[in-house]
Amino acid sequence: MALDAGPAIHSRRPHGRCRRLGVPASGNTLARLSLRSTPLREKHVELGAKLVDFAGWEMPVQYEGIREEHSAVRTHAGMFDVSHMGEVEVEGPGALAFLQRLLSNDVAAIGLGGAQYSCLCNEEGGVLDDLFTYRLGGDRYLIVTNSANHEADLAWLGRWSRQFSDVAVRDVADRYAMLAVQGPHARGILSRALGLELPPRMRVARGRVGDRPALICGTGYTGEDGVELLIDPEVAPPIWAELLDAGVVPCGLGARDTLRLEVCFHLHGNDLTPERNPIEAGLGWCCKEETGFVGAEAVAQARREGPAEQLAPFKIEGAGIPRQGNSVLADGEEVGVVTSGTFSPSLEIGIGMAYVRTDLAEPGSEVEIDVRGKRRPARIASRPLYRKEK
Amino acid sequence: MPDASYPDDLLYHDQHDWARLEGDEHAVFGITWYAQDSLGEVVFYDPPEVGATIVKDASYAEVESVKAVSDVIAPMSGEIVEVNDALEDTPEKINEDPYGEGWLVKVKLTAPEERGALLGADEYRKMLEKA
């Protein structure tokens, strides 16, 4: 047995493991000292979570098991500590003009208390990050960043903000713990247990959680209904305990990954990178080139000319679990690469997303995935890969 | 999931595999409690072919959990005489019963003296404590 994860165990493979899940962080004291931890670390340890290094953060990858946690979110309610996510506040009379210049979507369309998904692009149209923006006030916005990109996003926003005289960009990541509560029963349990008024989907509301000001966002990353709570780090542990008592199942990053991949949500670093533009990634819908955002010209050109490759979801037909880095083949020829791959707990087959030649990116196309030397038949599918039975 | 255990009647390889000797020439192989615990819920077992030759310290099969794939290392050299076909439908047996229903292969040993290089249960436990 050569485990890809674990202290004092070496990896034998350049590809094939889920890189983002990292190595256990608990074995090595020196490594742990350099990792950041969330206010809920003690709670995770109490629950017997497996902690791993995720983008420099010590995070729970699973508690009881990924399949159980996955199923809890699909059928009941689960909660994720996502306090590693970053927050940036953008405020001032120039905030709208500034964000319209930086974000790919039409920021002017976000009403008070609204939420919007968009890409942050470089001049070449490459995706630096994908983010949610919430409008908290007339000229006050909050952006939630991916933890691995937070510092770079801040630097990028800071650099461009100098061209605008009346906007302030503030790193407010330390101000918030973030808790995603997701699943068909998430809203019911939350409003009962915490006495909260919850905003509808894609809206944000101010409220009080643990008697401190909080933001309640009708968003998520699982394909289920639910909310994301941005709360005071000090009240995170008692709130976590309260939700646990109310029957919400603690879920780790392992289940977060299987849940998001079943519904084809992108993961930056895997499916989105600065080398790929939003058109290839299937995110043309959140790019409004007429707003003149940084990278708009490149994105417009990519849209006009049509991409050579496109991100497409696929299902393995039969045995085999695809992993990031696997080649995609058609007629024995390499036609693409897997950017995310896993075992789908809901469908009980291998699933993934891959950049493939555009003529093969249509649902129904037959391809093969080279899973460590074994060619596994697969079929390009439509989004989402998993759809709830009505 | 059962509690950690390392039966005294097995021999252990430091890459977290076990061997149960059956007479002088045959053995059953599997992965240890520690291995299945580190891996998490096993969802796929890719066995070798019956008749395949396997070499001590080299990979002969793969087990995958939701999040990771791992090589399975041969604790001794030999020829595969049987694989545990039941694991195709119930790979979770590797987690639930790693030394029983979760066995992986039966092997005709080509170098039975290799047993001398394997660890006893106590030695293996000590190795895990140090890790």
Side-chain angles (χ1 to χ4, degrees):
Chain A
M1 181 84 192
L3 293 164
D4 278 337
I9 299 169
H10 57 275
S11 161
R12 287 162 184 261
R13 297 210 173 98
H15 294 303
R17 65 187 160 143
C18 190
R19 175 179 61 82
R20 294 221 139 217
L21 294 179
V23 296
S26 49
N28 183 320
T29 312
L30 274 177
R32 190 165 66 231
L33 286 177
S34 65
L35 290 177
R36 304 179 67 181
S37 56
T38 80
L40 292 167
R41 182 178 184 279
E42 293 312 310
K43 293 286 174 202
H44 305 322
V45 172
E46 273 171 33
L47 289 165
K50 282 200 171 81
L51 299 174
V52 300
D53 174 358
F54 182 89
W57 289 78
E58 192 179 24
M59 299 299 292
V61 66
Q62 66 166 67
Y63 301 84
E64 292 296 318
I66 294 174
R67 296 179 88 161
E68 231 170 279
E69 295 162 26
H70 182 106
S71 152
V73 173
R74 288 276 178 256
T75 61
H76 178 62
M79 60 180 166
F80 304 81
D81 176 11
V82 285
S83 302
H84 60 309
M85 305 281 285
E87 292 83 19
V88 180
E89 207 173 79
V90 177
E91 191 175 17
L96 172 59
F98 168 69
L99 289 176
Q100 196 69 298
R101 178 87 174 104
L102 271 293
L103 300 177
S104 68
N105 214 331
D106 181 10
V107 181
I110 315 177
L112 267 182
Q116 188 184 67
Y117 178 76
S118 63
C119 293
L120 184 69
C121 291
N122 60 25
E123 287 96 331
E124 292 75 44
V127 181
L128 297 172
D129 205 356
D130 64 325
L131 344 116
F132 264 97
T133 304
Y134 302 95
R135 189 171 176 194
L136 305 181
D139 52 11
R140 189 162 158 244
Y141 297 83
L142 189 82
I143 296 174
V144 177
T145 61
N146 283 299
S147 57
N149 299 328
H150 181 67
E151 298 299 327
D153 289 357
L154 264 178
W156 181 259
L157 294 169
R159 195 187 113 197
W160 284 92
S161 73
R162 276 176 233 130
Q163 299 185 8
F164 294 78
S165 54
D166 44 6
V167 62
V169 175
R170 277 189 292 270
D171 180 5
V172 293
D174 290 344
R175 242 187 250 174
Y176 297 106
M178 187 166 177
L179 214 56
V181 189
Q182 303 276 302
H185 298 151
R187 282 174 177 271
I189 296 176
L190 262 179
S191 46
R192 272 195 308 277
L194 302 183
L196 281 179
E197 288 266 347
L198 303 177
R201 269 186 100 71
M202 293 301 287
R203 302 282 301 168
V204 56
R206 291 165 187 281
R208 290 186 80 79
V209 172
D211 209 30
R212 303 281 175 88
L215 296 171
I216 303 135
C217 312
T219 44
Y221 193 49
T222 61
E224 297 295 330
D225 196 10
V227 300
E228 297 177 298
L229 303 172
L230 287 162
I231 60 179
D232 188 317
E234 274 184 35
V235 304
I239 294 302
W240 176 273
E242 217 165 313
L243 292 175
L244 198 62
D245 285 346
V248 182
V249 177
C251 298
L253 295 183
R256 188 167 157 86
D257 193 53
T258 54
L259 287 158
R260 69 95 194 167
L261 193 48
E262 282 187 348
V263 291
C264 304
F265 289 160
H266 299 71
L267 174 61
H268 195 275
N270 284 38
D271 316 305
L272 300 172
T273 71
E275 285 72 47
R276 297 279 184 182
N277 65 55
I279 303 298
E280 297 171 279
L283 291 176
W285 62 270
C286 73
C287 295
K288 307 288 154 57
E289 290 94 303
E290 66 276 14
T291 63
F293 64 89
V294 174
E297 282 176 25
V299 171
Q301 188 184 346
R303 197 191 290 273
R304 214 167 41 238
E305 294 174 356
E309 292 189 328
Q310 273 181 282
L311 189 66
F314 66 86
K315 294 176 182 173
I316 298 274
E317 307 204 304
I321 303 170
R323 303 290 183 184
Q324 186 186 30
N326 291 165
S327 295
V328 182
L329 309 167
D331 300 323
E333 197 185 323
E334 184 163 345
V335 294
V337 61
V338 174
T339 51
S340 286
T342 193
F343 174 82
S344 159
S346 302
L347 305 172
E348 301 204 305
I349 50 164
I351 59 166
M353 294 204 284
Y355 279 99
V356 297
R357 230 170 52 200
T358 295
D359 60 300
L360 292 165
E362 286 302 310
S365 291
E366 289 176 24
V367 294
E368 287 178 311
I369 311 295
D370 182 345
V371 181
R372 295 177 305 285
K374 289 199 177 153
R375 293 186 182 182
R376 305 292 191 181
R379 196 182 286 272
I380 304 297
S382 51
R383 285 165 220 272
L385 288 164
Y386 163 83
R387 202 185 293 272
K388 186 157 274 197
E389 286 166 31
K390 297 278 176 198
Chain B
M1 211 63 66
D3 287 337
S5 72
Y6 304 101
D8 287 331
D9 61 327
L10 304 181
L11 293 173
Y12 296 85
H13 185 277
D14 63 6
Q15 291 286 316
H16 313 291
D17 310 271
W18 56 260
R20 176 180 287 121
L21 297 180
E22 295 188 333
D24 285 339
E25 291 197 336
H26 288 85
V28 181
F29 295 168
I31 67 171
T32 66
W33 187 92
Y34 175 86
Q36 66 78 28
D37 184 59
S38 305
L39 201 53
E41 302 138 293
V42 176
V43 292
F44 185 54
Y45 167 50
D46 193 8
E49 304 271 339
V50 170
T53 300
I54 65 172
V55 180
K56 180 179 186 295
D57 301 329
S59 167
Y60 69 92
E62 289 179 352
V63 285
E64 286 195 60
S65 66
V66 176
K67 68 183 162 79
V69 56
S70 284
D71 287 315
V72 184
I73 300 299
M76 301 173 79
S77 306
E79 184 188 314
I80 304 287
V81 294
E82 192 179 342
V83 303
N84 187 354
D85 292 326
L87 295 178
E88 194 181 324
D89 294 325
T90 54
E92 64 273 17
K93 293 289 180 200
I94 295 171
N95 299 114
E96 292 165 4
D97 191 9
Y99 307 111
E101 285 183 75
W103 66 274
L104 301 182
V105 292
K106 288 187 180 161
V107 175
K108 182 175 187 328
L109 301 172
T110 48
E113 69 281 4
E114 285 171 346
R115 79 183 62 175
L118 297 176
L119 308 172
D122 281 341
E123 289 172 286
Y124 180 66
R125 269 188 225 111
K126 276 187 197 128
M127 186 196 94
L128 291 180
E129 280 162 20
K130 273 187 242 158

